Amino acid sequence: MSVCFRNIGTICLLYLVAAGCDSNLSPANENEPPNTSLANIPLESDTLFALVTMHWNGGDADGFVSAYQYRVTSTYLFRLDSLVQDWITTTETSVTLSFSSVDPLNRQRFEVRALDNHGVHDPTPAVRTFYTTQTFAPLTTLHAPVEGQEFFVLESVTDWWQGIQLIFNGSDEDGHIEEYGYSIDGQPPVWTQDTTAVVGPEALAAPLEGRHTIQIIARDNTDLVSTEGSRAAIHLIRPRFDRNLFVLDETNEENFNVRTNQTDEDVDRFYADLFRPDASWDYLENERMPPLNELGRYKLLVWHADDRPTSRPHALTVEEPVIRDYLNVGGNIVISGWRILKSFAWQENFPQTFQEGSFVNDYMQIGTVDETALLADFTGGIGINGFPDVSVDASKLDYFPNAGAINNVNIIQQRGGFTELMLSYDTSPDTNYPQYRGGAVGLIYFGTSFNAAVLGFPLFFLDSTDARLLADAILNRIAN
């Protein structure tokens, strides 16, 4: 009997264990999909500007929301066409979108659905339908360079030559521009929020010399990009510097005093004797600068503007960008002119201080300049730092108000580093303007890329022998 009871107990125990195991193995509940809801702004069927912020939320009864997906269907009501975007995944609960709005009125359908921790999405996405008005792509203008413009180019950047400068801006009819993109030779655009940029040689398609195309586009606050943008084709030239000296004649003999008998041929011969150039160019006759492929052959440019202007400044101020370009790539310059420094601040009273960034300050290393009076009498220059003394040829100025001397001379009162004085102002012992005596009227600058010499008076009106000695001294110094 005792054995029997033990067997019955064992059987009962096994039954209870089996019953307990059956209860643990019952099927688990199925995963429920998440749900999604949109905020009540914008309202259903609203008409809005194309830039709209959408807000949403989601929940999951048996887990948690891991992400969201949204998409947009844009229907253009006038052209009867639609654009359906793919689902975009995000963990955010809001997004600001620029809804495609190419027609005067466009229907937008925005859908968003939650994804749970099992990767299951809401089978009934939250939907909002509204309308947007037409948007317009931004317009751009490339101010510099302009179509057909020429520039010098180097294989690599230097202290002075950094590349081609771009200047641009734009406008947007229905918003504002967020950024600009400049593209060189059809390459992908480089985006910037500035309205200037410098394009170095590394950004230019080979070969460097020749034609290159620059395009400016913009992106506005509705994410619209200019369809074509503004563009210009430019021509780049590598300077060869295989010749020595080039004279550019800007002297306008029509501005000489009516009592003088000096002619254009006299001026041409004077400079040819002084500098023995390889070639020359008459600026007034050609009404423009020489082509860069010609200018870029010469190591030294001698620019003279030895007439006294009264109504407008010398053309050197107009051609300043070309001269900057020439000097930046390694050319050298000698400048002679009557009121030549005054020309760079024609409407200003003198003395005048030229600020950093100006041609006079940066390329001549000249700070403050004064100009002598109409009746002042510059009779010659006293040589400094090994330069010779020079005297004015009184026979070329034998008329009122000059009386054999030069008036309106530019005196350099402040100069920069790496400069050397060449001449100081001299005048007659009985002058009425002794305050000018000793002022600097000639200066030479030795730079890392170029050398520059400037005379604050017209070289043509010096004694020819003295002028030749001065020219030789300048050439010996500026070429080394």
Side-chain angles (χ1 to χ4, degrees):
M1 292 292 294
S2 61
V3 173
C4 180
F5 280 117
R6 285 197 297 271
N7 290 339
I8 293 174
T10 301
I11 292 170
C12 291
L13 179 61
L14 292 174
Y15 176 80
L16 293 173
V17 171
C21 290
D22 288 344
S23 63
N24 289 336
L25 294 175
S26 61
N29 294 330
E30 292 186 5
N31 179 60
E32 295 184 13
N35 58 78
T36 320
S37 61
L38 275 161
N40 60 356
I41 297 176
L43 297 175
E44 185 74 15
S45 299
D46 254 359
T47 299
L48 308 166
F49 181 63
L51 196 65
V52 183
T53 300
M54 309 298 298
H55 299 270
W56 61 82
N57 211 330
D60 187 29
D62 56 358
F64 58 89
V65 174
S66 61
Y68 297 92
Q69 292 180 326
Y70 65 86
R71 69 177 177 184
V72 175
T73 301
S74 300
T75 302
Y76 312 123
L77 298 179
F78 284 71
R79 64 186 66 187
L80 301 178
D81 193 12
S82 295
L83 174 65
V84 181
Q85 298 180 0
D86 293 331
W87 289 102
I88 297 175
T89 302
T90 180
T91 58
E92 302 296 326
T93 57
S94 68
V95 66
T96 299
L97 296 175
S98 173
F99 289 84
S100 180
S101 305
V102 297
D103 267 359
L105 192 63
N106 311 268
R107 185 171 63 241
Q108 311 292 350
R109 176 182 168 88
F110 181 83
E111 301 174 80
V112 60
R113 63 190 186 187
L115 294 173
D116 69 10
N117 52 307
H118 293 286
V120 176
H121 61 73
D122 184 350
T124 57
V127 179
R128 185 65 43 82
T129 301
F130 53 91
Y131 298 87
T132 56
T133 54
Q134 189 172 12
T135 54
F136 299 91
L139 302 176
T140 58
T141 301
L142 177 60
H143 296 283
V146 298
E147 179 70 24
Q149 194 167 357
E150 293 183 334
F151 295 95
F152 288 118
V153 66
L154 298 177
E155 293 282 353
S156 58
V157 300
T158 67
D159 290 345
W160 286 88
W161 188 82
Q162 298 293 310
I164 310 301
Q165 185 179 40
L166 313 182
I167 302 174
F168 46 86
N169 64 5
S171 61
D172 188 40
E173 181 177 332
D174 55 358
H176 62 269
I177 292 175
E178 293 282 352
E179 57 183 351
Y180 294 91
Y182 60 91
S183 175
I184 312 299
D185 298 326
Q187 300 178 51
V190 177
W191 293 98
T192 177
Q193 293 183 333
D194 293 330
T195 55
T196 62
V198 176
V199 177
E202 74 286 346
L204 299 167
L208 288 180
E209 281 195 293
R211 187 178 187 272
H212 295 269
T213 302
I214 299 168
Q215 182 182 30
I216 303 296
I217 59 176
R219 189 195 314 275
D220 69 11
N221 60 316
T222 66
D223 207 33
L224 284 180
V225 176
S226 310
T227 53
E228 293 186 6
S230 178
R231 66 177 65 212
I234 63 174
H235 193 78
L236 300 184
I237 297 165
R238 194 194 315 268
R240 297 198 294 276
F241 297 134
D242 57 341
R243 295 181 179 177
N244 289 323
L245 196 148
F246 187 82
V247 168
L248 197 149
D249 175 7
E250 196 220 327
T251 300
N252 185 357
E253 289 76 18
E254 292 184 1
N255 280 342
F256 283 179
N257 190 287
V258 294
R259 294 182 59 186
T260 186
N261 58 2
Q262 304 299 323
T263 66
D264 178 64
E265 289 74 18
D266 293 329
V267 175
D268 291 344
R269 185 166 48 252
F270 179 86
Y271 275 93
D273 290 344
L274 255 58
F275 291 101
R276 302 170 293 279
D278 297 294
S280 61
W281 181 271
D282 191 313
Y283 183 90
L284 300 176
E285 180 181 320
N286 291 281
E287 298 182 338
R288 64 181 180 89
M289 288 287 290
L292 290 198
N293 58 2
E294 177 68 12
L295 180 61
R297 301 194 64 178
Y298 299 91
K299 301 173 185 176
L300 175 62
L301 169 65
V302 175
W303 184 301
H304 64 86
D306 287 350
D307 59 294
R308 179 180 172 273
T310 56
S311 59
R312 60 182 181 180
H314 287 298
L316 177 61
T317 60
V318 177
E319 303 297 349
E320 173 193 321
V322 178
I323 302 303
R324 283 177 181 252
D325 197 24
Y326 170 74
L327 298 177
N328 286 342
V329 296
N332 301 293
I333 193 168
V334 174
I335 298 172
S336 164
W338 205 333
R339 311 189 78 188
I340 192 67
L341 297 176
K342 170 65 176 177
S343 291
F344 286 93
W346 187 249
Q347 301 295 335
E348 306 298 327
N349 294 323
F350 272 51
Q352 172 70 23
T353 297
F354 292 91
Q355 302 298 325
E356 184 177 346
S358 69
F359 181 81
V360 173
N361 185 292
D362 292 359
Y363 290 84
M364 301 181 192
Q365 289 294 294
I366 294 173
T368 303
V369 179
D370 199 2
E371 184 171 81
T372 64
L374 180 65
L375 298 178
D377 50 353
F378 173 71
T379 58
I382 299 173
I384 306 172
N385 294 316
F387 287 90
D389 296 344
V390 295
S391 58
V392 170
D393 185 345
S395 66
K396 294 180 179 179
L397 296 162
D398 189 17
Y399 46 75
F400 179 84
N402 297 87
I406 302 176
N407 57 2
N408 292 141
V409 172
N410 290 153
I411 295 179
I412 302 163
Q413 294 183 330
Q414 185 182 38
R415 59 191 175 98
F418 305 102
T419 60
E420 193 173 275
L421 296 181
M422 295 190 294
L423 296 165
S424 67
Y425 189 104
D426 196 15
T427 186
S428 60
D430 58 348
T431 181
N432 292 321
Y433 299 93
Q435 69 270 27
Y436 298 133
R437 184 179 287 116
V441 294
L443 178 145
I444 188 167
Y445 163 64
F446 303 100
T448 57
S449 178
F450 63 89
N451 299 327
V454 60
L455 300 172
F457 59 89
L459 186 59
F460 173 72
F461 292 95
L462 293 185
D463 173 82
S464 58
T465 301
D466 291 353
R468 186 174 296 110
L469 292 174
L470 176 60
D472 287 344
I474 292 173
L475 292 179
N476 287 335
R477 202 71 62 89
I478 207 167
N480 296 327

